[in-house]
Amino acid sequence: MALDIVIMAAGKGTRMKSSLPKVLHKLAGRSLLQHVLGTAASLGATRIITITGHGAEQVEAAVQAPGLLFVRQMPQLGTGHAVQQAVPQLHDEGTTLILNGDTPLIEAATVRALVDACGGERFALLTITLADATGYGRIVRDGEQVRAIVEHKDATPEQREIREVNTGVMAVPTKRLKGWLARLDNKNAQGEYYLTDIIAMAVADGVPVVTAQPKSETEVLGVNSPMQLADLERRYQRARAEALMEAGVRLADPARFDVRGSLTCGSDVEIDVNCIFDGEVELGDGVRIGANCVVRNARLLAGAVIHPFTHIDGEAQGVSVGRGALVGPFARLRPGAQLGDEVHIGNFVEVKNSTLAKGAKANHLAYLGDATVGERVNYGAGSITANYDGANKHRTVIGDDVHVGSNCVLIAPVVIGAGATIGGGSTISKDAPAGQLTVSRAKQVSLEGWTRPVKKR
Ligand code: UD1
Ligand code: CA
């Protein structure tokens, strides 16, 4: 049976006070609409139709993916009017599920149950009972039986006492839906075409109306203001933190922890406060992350230790950190940094598109870009690979057991043979042979009898 999903995302979001359309604001690194689309995609729908209006071009460009349909609603005359725009895209039979683009944390299991309850025949409505129902559409019942939804602005004082409200999520027989939408009018307090009016039509047509509730209120909270966005972000992060802690991850403080993507952890992982994990991050057994680290698109093998204030960003290429490697504090690993086992990267060291073999060390103030570094290499403080000639990038190859002194410039392309020593302060523009000391700097001289200038009187 066909399942069509309609996501309403045309509203302006005035209370965000932002030039960015509301549904493009981000929660845990993804736009509100992407969260809803992700949930929709997991339901195996035949069609997913997003209703855009305010900032339509920007919204469509931001979430564009194969198989997604967009329908524009111009102007925006209410939720009923929004769904009317999708009618030409809906199948003739089956179920239509309606979701809100600004309600990001709705769970797949909740909406799946609703779709099952509809079964292409019944009207299945997701409701919730709130302590304060102000502003919401109230569920008017006659005994157990749902009769109608009355919007807050149209409700009588008695109806305003009702605390069971419409979440805006519903699964409706598609054929019936089309008929009801065609009969909507805007004779109400807001002069809008209310989608919620179709409930009374269903009742009048003898279509059974069933209700379900979400597991938690968080699932149906919408975002209308920066405050609500921040509140949902914290709820989301708390849930992620709790799931990780239940799996054994030790978080110093679940309130100071953020995941914006997928974080996979082995056993005995420890994460100190104020860390952000973005994109795809994998932490092996016993990995320890110090305070104030940002880790994005990276794979850290067992026993790796990341000291505080380290920034790791693998972008598209990724970063990998070997077993027992030590990184930071204040280190920066960029795309293509591949650290072998027991590598040490110290403070103010930047590594980009470079491979460091087992036991290599760059402990202080250094840059390694487009380099291949052998085992046990010691790369001195202040040394850099000059990998960019202003037009092209070139590689530096450093053999096993090389010792690069402090403050050296290795001008790529260049090869330093295994076991070579590069004297401190050298600028190396030609290959250095294996096993030898290579020095390139002015010879040290001392001038006998030289006197310091003295100030003239
Ligand atoms: C709506 C419901 C109300 C429910 C509440 C839950 C109606 C008439 N009322 O009220 O019963 O309790 O949601 O949050 O449906 N939108 C469009 N086009 C429009 C108008 C709205 O796409 O012309 C979209 C908005 O972007 C938003 C959603 O529909 O994603 C809901 O609109 P909103 O104005 O927030 O509805 P409420 O008045 O809060
Ligand atoms: Ca409204």
Side-chain angles (χ1 to χ4, degrees), residues 17 23-24 46 53 71 84-85 88 101 131 142 199 231 246 266 269-270 292 355 399 418 422 432-433 441 449:
K17 300 191 174 149
V23 293
L24 293 188
T46 331
V71 172
Q84 279 172 354
Q85 313 309 307
D142 190 355
I199 280 276
D231 172 48
E246 257 159 43
V269 166
E270 281 183 28
N292 304 298
T355 304
I422 306 298
R441 62 183 184 225

Side-chain angles (χ1 to χ4, degrees), residues 248-250 266-270 284-288:
V249 176
R250 296 194 288 278
S267 61
D268 286 303
V269 166
E270 281 183 28
D285 294 347
V287 164
R288 294 199 330 248

Side-chain angles (χ1 to χ4, degrees), residues 7-13 15 22-23 51-54 73 75-83 85 98-103 126 130 133-139 149-154 165-170 188 190 192-197 220-224:
I7 301 172
M8 290 189 282
K12 183 152 189 248
R15 279 186 284 156
K22 180 167 77 171
V23 293
I51 313 290
T52 59
H54 184 79
Q73 183 200 14
Q76 290 96 44
L77 304 178
T79 51
H81 180 251
V83 181
Q85 313 309 307
I98 296 167
L99 298 173
N100 276 331
D102 64 357
T103 308
L126 192 69
L130 297 175
T134 307
Y136 287 87
R138 306 300 206 282
I139 308 298
I149 297 177
V150 179
E151 290 305 303
H152 181 89
K153 286 187 179 152
D154 300 280
V165 305
N166 171 32
T167 63
V169 177
M170 53 188 83
N188 52 52
Q190 301 188 79
E192 288 181 9
Y193 293 87
Y194 289 166
L195 177 63
T196 44
D197 285 351
V220 294
L221 289 177
V223 172
N224 297 296

Side-chain angles (χ1 to χ4, degrees), residues 195-228:
L195 177 63
T196 44
D197 285 351
I198 67 175
I199 280 276
M201 296 179 187
V203 174
D205 287 354
V207 172
V209 179
V210 295
T211 56
Q213 281 73 41
K215 270 194 294 172
S216 98
E217 178 191 272
T218 303
E219 284 190 60
V220 294
L221 289 177
V223 172
N224 297 296
S225 67
M227 286 266 277
Q228 289 174 340

Side-chain angles (χ1 to χ4, degrees), residues 161-183:
E161 297 295 311
I162 298 170
R163 293 191 301 120
E164 186 189 7
V165 305
N166 171 32
T167 63
V169 177
M170 53 188 83
V172 193
T174 304
K175 193 176 191 154
R176 298 282 198 168
L177 173 68
K178 290 183 179 178
W180 297 328
L181 288 172
R183 283 155 51 197

